[in-house]
C-alpha cells in the first residue's frame, strides 16, 4: 500500500485517521515533537543572533549613529540615533539567555534527542509520549515568555544571563530589573519544567526500551551522550530552579536570601539584611557548569557518529569515548568554582577548583585524540554533514585549549570577565555545538523529511561559517588579553583599549558575514522541506545505525510489524573482507567478521 | 511532508501508549527495572536536587549573624502524624490489592487521599498560625526558609494528589489486580517519598 | 560490487580544509608571538609572576594547538575518498591512549603546581604593616577612595550617614576621620611600596580591575576583601569595573596614578586634605 508520494510505508499500524491538528501540531509522535523543537529553536536562534548583531554594531562603532534602527526601536536609541547603554546590556542578557537555553539546550536534547532516541534504539516512541508533547508546549510557552521580556515597558533585564545578585534581586538597581527580570525568571522556570519532562523521557526510554540485542555498549555515541546529558540535566536544573525561587522571593517577598545588609540605593540604606550574594553564584554555577556540558555532550556524540560514518571508519576507541563522557559529566559537578576565582570566594577553594578543572581537561583531551584517530587512515566523503563534523573537531580544539588559561586561577585573575572568556565559551559552547547541530541537520534531514538539503548551498554554508566563526571569535582572545572587559557598552571609554578597537571592527564585520551564511542555511532548510531532492532509499549515507533501516521519511510507529534485532555495535565500517564498506547493526554476526562487540 | 502518513494496515498493531509505563510497541529490553519505576526514580531525583539546592542555601545562611530562629508551631507535629498516617493507609491499600480485595483497596485509598488533603489543609492552618503570630515570609531568614520549604513540599504533594486521582480512578474502574497494580506501587513510592522529604524539611527547620 | 581499499585521495575539499587549518595555525602563531596587541604594560611585582604563568600555559597549549589542528588538516587533505572505498580498519590502541592520557595529565599537573605557587603567594603573603592602605568603596557607578591620613587610622563609616556630599558615610564625629582623605575616581599610590586595598561595595557586586597591575577582585556588598600589590613603574593608569553592575557599568572608570616618590604621593594627599577641610 503506498501513499500519495509513491512511498511504501512499513509498519504504520491502524489508527483512526488523525486530523491536521492532531497529526502535525498536537502530536505525541516523538518525530513530530523533535521537529517542533528544532524549528522553534531555529526561530529563537534568529532572535538571539539578531540581538548579537546589534551588540556587534555597538561594539564595532561605539559612537555610531543608527537612525534607521532608532526609528524601529525608539526606546532603545537616543534622539541622535545612538544606542542606549541599558538597551545594550539587555541585548547582552537576552542574547546569552536565549542562546544557551532556548537554542542550544533545546536543539540538541529536545530536537535531536526526541527525533533520534526511539529510532536509534529500536522503539516505536518514547516511554511517556503525552508527557513528551507537554514538554514541547511548555518549552514553547517559555520561548514566548522570554521573548515578551524584550517588549515590556521597563525593558528586558540587564544583569547578564548569569543574573548575579544583588543586581538581579533588587528591582530598583537598574532599568529592566523590574518586570523584565520577573519574566526572565518565569521563562527559565518553565524551561526547567519542560527540560525535566523531556529528560524523564530520554532516560527512561534509553534504559528500558532498547530493542533486543542492543546492549549499552552497542549504542551509538549519540545515544550515550543524550542519556548522560539527561542525567546531568536532572541533577543540575533543579538547583537553578531552587536559586530562581529564592531570587523571586528576594525580589517580591521581602526576603534576603542574596541581599546582605549595608546596601545603599539612591542614598538610602535599604532594609534587607543577612543574605549572601555569593550564595547565588554558588547555586547558579553548580547548575551552570554542568549546563555547558549539557550543551557540548550531545554535540560530541552526534559529531562522533557522523564523523565515523563519513570517514567510513569506526570511531577510534569507542569504549574510551563512553568513559570519557561519563568522566566529564561526573567531574562537571566539582568544577563550578572556576567561575568564581576572583569573586571573594576563599582562595583555598580556588585552589581546589583549579585542580578539578584541569582534571576535566584530561577526558576532553582523550576525546580529541580519538577524533584525530578516527580521521587518520579514513576515506572521507566530504558531504556538508562531514565538513561540519570535522569543523566541530577544529572548533572544539580551539575553544578547549583556551580553557587551561582560565582554569589556572593565577592566570584567571587577569583574564576573568574579559573577552578571553567570551572567546573560550563561544568557540566551545556555541560554535562547536552549532557545527555538530548543522552536521546532524544535513545528515538526518532525509530521515525527517524524505528529501535532501541542497549540498552546494550546504558547502557554501560550511566554508563561510568556518572562516567566519574563526574571524569572529579567535581575535576575541587577543582583545581579552589586551584587557577588554565583558559587557562594556563603550570600550573607547578606556584609554588602554583604544589601540585594539580596530580588532572590534574586524570582529563586527566578520559577524555580519557569519550571520549571512546562517541565513543561507535557513533558506536551504525550509525550501528543501518542500522542494529538496527526494530521498529514494532508506539509507542514503550507507550508515549502520537503526534509523537507516526504515524509510525516509519515517512513518508513525517507526519500524515494521517486528522491531529490529541488533547483533553488533554501531561502527562496523570498512570491515576487511566485507563486500560493502559498512555493515548495519541488524546484520547477523558472521564468524569471519566476529568482533567482541 | 509525509512523515506522519498513517495508512490502514492489517498487520499487528502495537498497543496504544499509556501515560504510566510500558510505552508503545512493547519492549524487548532486559533492563531489570520497569519503565514506570525508572520514570518515578528520575522524578524523585529531580525533586531531591531541588530540595538539596534549597537546603544548601539554608545551611550557608544559617551561619550569618542575622539568623534568628522562629518558634515552629506545635501543630506541625500533629500534621506530620497525619501525613505518616496517610502513608500507612497506602500500605493497607497495597496489602488489600495483593489479596485482590477491591473494595478494601478503594476504602484504604480513599482514606490515604483524604489524609493527604487533610495534611495540606493542616499546612495552611500552620501558615495562618505563623501569620497571626506576626511571622511572615520576610520576618527572618529562618521564617523565609520555613515558608519556602514547606510551600515547595506542599506543591509537590499536590502533584502527588493528582497521581492519587489517577490511581483512584483505576481502582474504581477495577483496573488494578493482584497480579498487576503497578500504578499503585509507583504512586505509593512517590507518596512515601513525600513523607521522607517532609521529615527531612521538618527536621532541617527544627534543628536549624 | 566489492569496494576495495583504495589509497586515501587528495580531494579539493580536503585540501581546502587542510589549507585553512594551516592558515589558522600561521595566523595564531603570529598573533601570539608577534603580539600586535598584547597585555597592558606591566607595573607590579606579582604581575610578572602571573604573566609567567600565562606564558607557560601558552607554550603548552600552543604546542598542543599546532599539533592537533595540524594533524587534523593533514589528515583531511590526505585521506579523502572518491567513492566508497574501505578505510584502514583499526580503532583501538590502548598503549597510545594510555600514553597520551597520562602525558596530558602530567603536563596539567605541572601547570597546576606552577599556577598554585603564584596564586597562594598572591593571597597569603602577609603584607607588611607599613603598607599603604586604601579603603575602596565601589558603588553604582564610581569608585570612592578613602585614605587614613597622617594618623594611619581610618575614621568610622556609617551607611546611614550617606548623602550626595558624603558618599562613603564618613562619620565626622569620629576624631580619626579628621585627617582622612576621600576622593572620587582618583587614586594615588607611591612607587615601589606595597599597597593594601580593602574592597567594599555599597550596592551590587563590582570588580576592581587594574589591568596594568594584574589585579582583579570583586567588590561584594556585605564583605570587606583585602588585596595587595606593589607598583613598580610610575605613571597614570586606569581602573575599570569588571563585573556587570547596571546600566552605566561601562562608565565606572577611575584613574590610578603611581607617584614616582613618596614626596609626590604626600603632596597629593595634602592637596586632597586641603580640599576636603577647606570647603
Amino acid at each position: 500500500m503506498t501513499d500519495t508520494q509513491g512511498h511504501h510505508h512499513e509498519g504504520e499500524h491502524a489508527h483512526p485517521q488523525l486530523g491536521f491538528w492532531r497529526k502535525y501540531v498536537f502530536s505525541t509522535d516523538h518525530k513530530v515533537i523533535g521537529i517542533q523543537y528544532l524549528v522553534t529553536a531555529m526561530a529563537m536562534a534568529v532572535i538571539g543572533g539578531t540581538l548579537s548583531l546589534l551588540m556587534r554594531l555597538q561594539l564595532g562603532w561605539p559612537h555610531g549613529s543608527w537612525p534607521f534602527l532608532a526609528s524601529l526601536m525608539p526606546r532603545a536609541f537616543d534622539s541622535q540615533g545612538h544606542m542606549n547603554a541599558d538597551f545594550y546590556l539587555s541585548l547582552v542578557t537576552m542574547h546569552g539567555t536565549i542562546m544557551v537555553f532556548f537554542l542550544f539546550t533545546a536543539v540538541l536534547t529536545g530536537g535531536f534527542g526526541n527525533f533520534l532516541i526511539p529510532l536509534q534504539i529500536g522503539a516505536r516512541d518514547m516511554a511517556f509520549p503525552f508527557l513528551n508533547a507537554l514538554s514541547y508546549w511548555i518549552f514553547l510557552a517559555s520561548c514566548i515568555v522570554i521573548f515578551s521580556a524584550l517588549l515590556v515597558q521597563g525593558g528586558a533585564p540587564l544583569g547578564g544571563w548569569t543574573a548575579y545578585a544583588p543586581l538581579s534581586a533588587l528591582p530598583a538597581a537598574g532599568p529592566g530589573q523590574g518586570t523584565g527580570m520577573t519574566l526572565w525568571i518565569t521563562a527559565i522556570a518553565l524551561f526547567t519544567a519542560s527540560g525535566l519532562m523531556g529528560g524523564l523521557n530520554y532516560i527512561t526510554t534509553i534504559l528500558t526500551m532498547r530493542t533486543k540485542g542492543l546492549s549499552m555498549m552497542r549504542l551509538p555515541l549519540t545515544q550515550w551522550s543524550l542519556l548522560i546529558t539527561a542525567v546531568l540535566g536532572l541533577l543540575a536544573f533543579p538547583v537553578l530552579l531552587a536559586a530562581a525561587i529564592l531570587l523571586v522571593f528576594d525580589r517580591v517577598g521581602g526576603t534576603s536570601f542574596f541581599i546582605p545588609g549595608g546596601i545603599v540605593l539612591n542614598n538610602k540604606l535599604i532594609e534587607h539584611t543577612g543574605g549572601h550574594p555569593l550564595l547565588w553564584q554558588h547555586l547558579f554555577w553548580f547548575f551552570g557548569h554542568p549546563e555547558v556540558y549539557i550543551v557540548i555532550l550531545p554535540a560530541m556524540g552526534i559529531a562522533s557518529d557522523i564523523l565515523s560514518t563519513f570517514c567510513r571508519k569506526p570511531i577510534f576507541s569507542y569504549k574510551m569515548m563512553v568513559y570519557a563522557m561519563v568522566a566529564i559529566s561526573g567531574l562537571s559537578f566539582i568544577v563550578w568554582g572556576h567561575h568564581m576565582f576572583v569573586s571573594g570566594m576563599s582562595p583555598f577553594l580556588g585552589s581546589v577548583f583549579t585542580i578539578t578543572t584541569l582534571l576535566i581537561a584530561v577526558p576532553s583531551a582523550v576525546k580529541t585524540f580519538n577524533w584525530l584517530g578516527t580521521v587518520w587512515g579514513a576515506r572521507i566523503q566530504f558531504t556538508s554533514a562531514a565538513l561540519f563534523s570535522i569543523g566541530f573537531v577544529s572548533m572544539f580544539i580551539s575553544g578547549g585549549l583556551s580553557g587551561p588559561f582560565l582554569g589556572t586561577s593565577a592566570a584567571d585573575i587577569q583574564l576573568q570577565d574579559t573577552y578571553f572568556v567570551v572567546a573560550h565559551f563561544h568557540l566551545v559552547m556555541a560554535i562547536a555545538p552549532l557545527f555538530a547541530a548543522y552536521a546532524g541537520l544535513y545528515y538526518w534531514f532525509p530521515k525527517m523529511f524524505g528529501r535532501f538539503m541542497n549540498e552546494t548551498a550546504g558547502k557554501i554554508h560550511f566554508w563561510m561559517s568556518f572562516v567566519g566563526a574563526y574571524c569572529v571569535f579567535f581575535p576575541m582572545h587577543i582583545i581579552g588579553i589586551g584587557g577588554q572587559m565583558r559587557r562594556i557598552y563603550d570600550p573607547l571609554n578606556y584609554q588602554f583599549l583604544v589601540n585594539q578597537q580596530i580588532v572590534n571592527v574586524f570582529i563586527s564585520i566578520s559577524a555580519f558575514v557569519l550571520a549571512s551564511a546562517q541565513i543561507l542555511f535557513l533558506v536551504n532548510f525550509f525550501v528543501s522541506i518542500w522542494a529538496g531532492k527526494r530521498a529514494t532509499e532508506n539509507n542514503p549515507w550507507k550508515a549502520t545505525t537503526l534509523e537507516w533501516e526504515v524509510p525516509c521519511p519515517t512513518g508513525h510507529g517507526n519500524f515494521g510489524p517486528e522491531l529490529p534485532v541488533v547483533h553488533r555495535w554501531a561502527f562496523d565500517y570498512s570491515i576487511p573482507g566485507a563486500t560493502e564498506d559498512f555493515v548495519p547493526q541488524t546484520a547477523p554476526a558472521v564468524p569471519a567478521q566476529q568482533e567482541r562487540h | 511532508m509525509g512523515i506522519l502518513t498513517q495508512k490502514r494496515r492489517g498487520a499487528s498493531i502495537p498497543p496504544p501508549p499509556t501515560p504510566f509505563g510500558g510505552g508503545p510497541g512493547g519492549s524487548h529490553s532486559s533492563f531489570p527495572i520497569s519503565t514506570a519505576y525508572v520514570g518515578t526514580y528520575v522524578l524523585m531525583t529531580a525533586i531531591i536536587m531541588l530540595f538539596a539546592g534549597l537546603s544548601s542555601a539554608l545551611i550557608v545562611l544559617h551561619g550569618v549573624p542575622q539568623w534568628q530562629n522562629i518558634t515552629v508551631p506545635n501543630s506541625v507535629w500533629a500534621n506530620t502524624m497525619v501525613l505518616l498516617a496517610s502513608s500507612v493507609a497506602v500500605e493497607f491499600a497495597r496489602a488489600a490489592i495483593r489479596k485482590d480485595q477491591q473494595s478494601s483497596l478503594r476504602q484504604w485509598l480513599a482514606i490515604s487521599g483524604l489524609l493527604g488533603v487533610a495534611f495540606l489543609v493542616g499546612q495552611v492552618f500552620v501558615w495562618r498560625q505563623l501569620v497571626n503570630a506576626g511571622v511572615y515570609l520576610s520576618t527572618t531568614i529562618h521564617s523565609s526558609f520555613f515558608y519556602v520549604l514547606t510551600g515547595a513540599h506542599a506543591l509537590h504533594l499536590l502533584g502527588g494528589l493528582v497521581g492519587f486521582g489517577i490511581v483512584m480512578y483505576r481502582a474504581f474502574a477495577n483496573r488494578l489486580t493482584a497480579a498487576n497494580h503497578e500504578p499503585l506501587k509507583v504512586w505509593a513510592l512517590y507518596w512515601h517519598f513525600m513523607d521522607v522529604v517532609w521529615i527531612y524539611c521538618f527536621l532541617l527547620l527544627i534543628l536549624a | 560490487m566489492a569496494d576495495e581499499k583504495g589509497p586515501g585521495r587528495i580531494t579539493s575539499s580536503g585540501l581546502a580544509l587542510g589549507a585553512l587549518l594551516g592558515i589558522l595555525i600561521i595566523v595564531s602563531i603570529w598573533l601570539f608571538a608577534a603580539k600586535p596587541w598584547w597585555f597592558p604594560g606591566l607595573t607590579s611585582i606579582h604581575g610578572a609572576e602571573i604573566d609567567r604563568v600565562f606564558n607557560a600555559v601558552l607554550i603548552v597549549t600552543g604546542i598542543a594547538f599546532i599539533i592537533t589542528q595540524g594533524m587534523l588538516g593533514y589528515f583531511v587533505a590526505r585521506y579523502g575518498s572518491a567513492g566508497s572505498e574501505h578505510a584502514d580498519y583499526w580503532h583501538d590502541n590502548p598503549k597510545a591512549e594510555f600514553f597520551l592520557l597520562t602525558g596530558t595529565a602530567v603536563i596539567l599537573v605541572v601547570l597546576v603546581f606552577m599556577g598554585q605557587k603564584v596564586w597562594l603567594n598572591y593571597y597569603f603573603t602577609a603584607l607588611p604593616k607599613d603598607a599603604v592602605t586604601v579603603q575602596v568603596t565601589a558603588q553604582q557607578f564610581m569608585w570612592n577612595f578613602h585614605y587614613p591620613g597622617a594618623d594611619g587610622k581610618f575614621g568610622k563609616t556609617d551607611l546611614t550617614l550617606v548623602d550626595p556630599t558624603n558618599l562613603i558615610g564618613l562619620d565626622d564625629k569620629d576624631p580619626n576621620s579628621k585627617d582622612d582623605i576621600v576622593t572620587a575616581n582618583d587614586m594615588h599610590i607611591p612607587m615601589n611600596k606595597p599597597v593594601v586595598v580593602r574592597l567594599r561595595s555599597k550596592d551590587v557586586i563590582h570588580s576592581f580591575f587594574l589591568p596594568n597591575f594584574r589585579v582583579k577582585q570583586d567588590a561584594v556588598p556585605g564583605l570587606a576583601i583585602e588585596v595587595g600589590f606593589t607598583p613598580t613603574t610610575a605613571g597614570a593608569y586606569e581602573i575599570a569595573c569588571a563585573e556587570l553592575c547596571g546600566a552605566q557599568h561601562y562608565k565606572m572608570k577611575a584613574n590610578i596614578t603611581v607617584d614616582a616618590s613618596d614626596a609626590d604621593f604626600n603632596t597629593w594627599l595634602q592637596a586632597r586634605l586641603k580640599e576636603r577641610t577647606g570647603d
Side-chain angles (χ1 to χ4, degrees), chain A residues 263-285:
Chain A
I263 291 190
V264 177
L265 287 180
N266 296 320
N267 288 315
K268 281 224 307 278
L269 200 56
I270 66 173
E271 276 189 19
H272 290 264
T273 187
H276 206 315
L278 287 181
L279 178 61
W280 168 266
Q281 292 182 43
H282 281 294
L283 288 173
F284 181 85
W285 287 118

Side-chain angles (χ1 to χ4, degrees), chain B residues 78-112:
Chain B
N79 220 17
T80 305
M81 292 303 132
V82 169
L83 189 63
L84 291 176
S86 80
S87 271
V88 170
V90 168
E91 285 310 300
F92 275 114
R94 228 214 288 233
I97 191 58
R98 272 202 287 266
K99 294 181 240 161
D100 231 342
Q101 292 164 351
Q102 294 286 342
S103 71
S104 191
L105 164 74
R106 291 180 215 162
Q107 276 169 24
W108 282 113
L109 271 182
I111 292 174
S112 72

Side-chain angles (χ1 to χ4, degrees), chain A residues 390-403:
Chain A
I390 297 169
F392 163 85
V393 177
S394 175
M395 294 297 170
F396 182 77
I397 292 172
S398 300
L401 284 175
S402 54

Side-chain angles (χ1 to χ4, degrees), chain A residues 85-86 89 158-160 164-167 173 175 260-265 267 269 276-278 281 311-317 320 341-344 347-348 350-351 354-355 358 361-362 365-366 369-370 372-373 375-382 387 390 393-394 397-398 401 404-405 408-411 413-418 462-463 466-467 470 474 477-478 481-483 485-490 493-496 499-500 502-503 569 572-576 578-581 595 597, chain C residues 1-3 5-9 11-14 16-17 20-21 24 28 31-32 37-40 50 53-54 57-58 61 64-65 67-69 71-72 75-77 79-81 83-93 97 100-101 104-105 108 111-112 115-116 118-120 122-124 140-141 159-160 162-164 167 201-205 207 209-218 220-223 225 238-253:
Chain A
D86 53 328
L89 289 177
L158 44 62
Y164 277 14
L167 179 62
I263 291 190
V264 177
L265 287 180
N267 288 315
L269 200 56
H276 206 315
L278 287 181
Q281 292 182 43
C311 284
R312 312 312 289 165
K313 190 163 173 279
I315 195 77
F316 186 86
S317 196
M320 287 303 286
F341 283 137
V342 299
S343 66
F348 277 128
S351 296
T354 293
I355 295 169
L358 290 187
V362 176
V366 165
F369 301 143
N370 291 349
L372 291 176
V375 186
W376 192 342
R379 297 295 180 266
I380 308 171
Q381 298 168 352
F382 287 100
L387 286 167
I390 297 169
V393 177
S394 175
I397 292 172
S398 300
L401 284 175
F405 293 92
T408 306
S409 47
I413 293 174
Q414 186 66 5
L415 299 171
Q416 166 64 13
D417 225 273
T418 65
F462 170 74
W463 296 113
F466 187 77
V467 174
Y470 269 122
F474 208 82
H477 295 102
I478 300 301
I481 288 170
M485 301 79 69
R486 292 175 67 173
R487 302 155 167 179
I488 293 289
Y489 161 79
D490 180 5
N493 198 37
Y494 295 86
Q495 199 52 38
F496 72 96
N499 278 350
Q500 52 181 36
I502 185 77
V503 184
W569 69 335
D572 269 341
Y573 292 103
S574 298
I575 296 195
T579 41
E580 290 205 82
D581 64 350
E595 292 275 347
H597 303 298
Chain C
M1 185 175 304
D3 279 311
K5 180 160 163 251
R9 293 171 202 282
T11 58
S12 53
S13 293
L17 193 49
L20 279 178
L21 287 168
L24 174 69
S28 56
L31 282 174
F32 283 91
W37 303 276
W38 202 241
F39 285 108
I50 289 182
V53 171
F54 180 90
V57 179
L58 180 62
T61 53
F65 182 81
I67 293 178
T68 48
Q69 300 278 20
M71 280 175 78
L72 186 64
F75 290 151
V76 298
Y79 291 113
S81 151
S84 45
E85 302 151 346
H86 284 222
D88 300 348
Y89 187 75
W90 43 263
H91 55 86
D92 268 301
N93 191 337
E97 287 238 62
L100 286 168
L101 196 156
T104 308
L108 289 169
L111 284 181
V112 167
Q116 285 313 289
V118 175
W119 173 259
L120 295 170
Y122 176 67
Y123 277 104
F124 294 111
Q140 288 177 324
F141 297 98
L159 288 171
T160 58
V162 168
D163 68 39
L167 289 171
S201 167
K202 266 168 72 179
D203 37 41
V204 298
I205 300 180
S207 192
F209 179 32
L210 275 52
N212 300 80
F213 299 78
R214 314 298 188 252
V215 167
K216 186 183 286 126
Q217 179 57 55
D218 282 6
V220 182
L223 296 180
I225 302 170
E238 286 169 299
I239 302 173
C241 178
E243 183 56 57
L244 179 54
C245 55
Q248 307 292 312
H249 165 61
Y250 77 102
K251 264 204 165 136
M252 202 162 151
K253 179 176 85 154

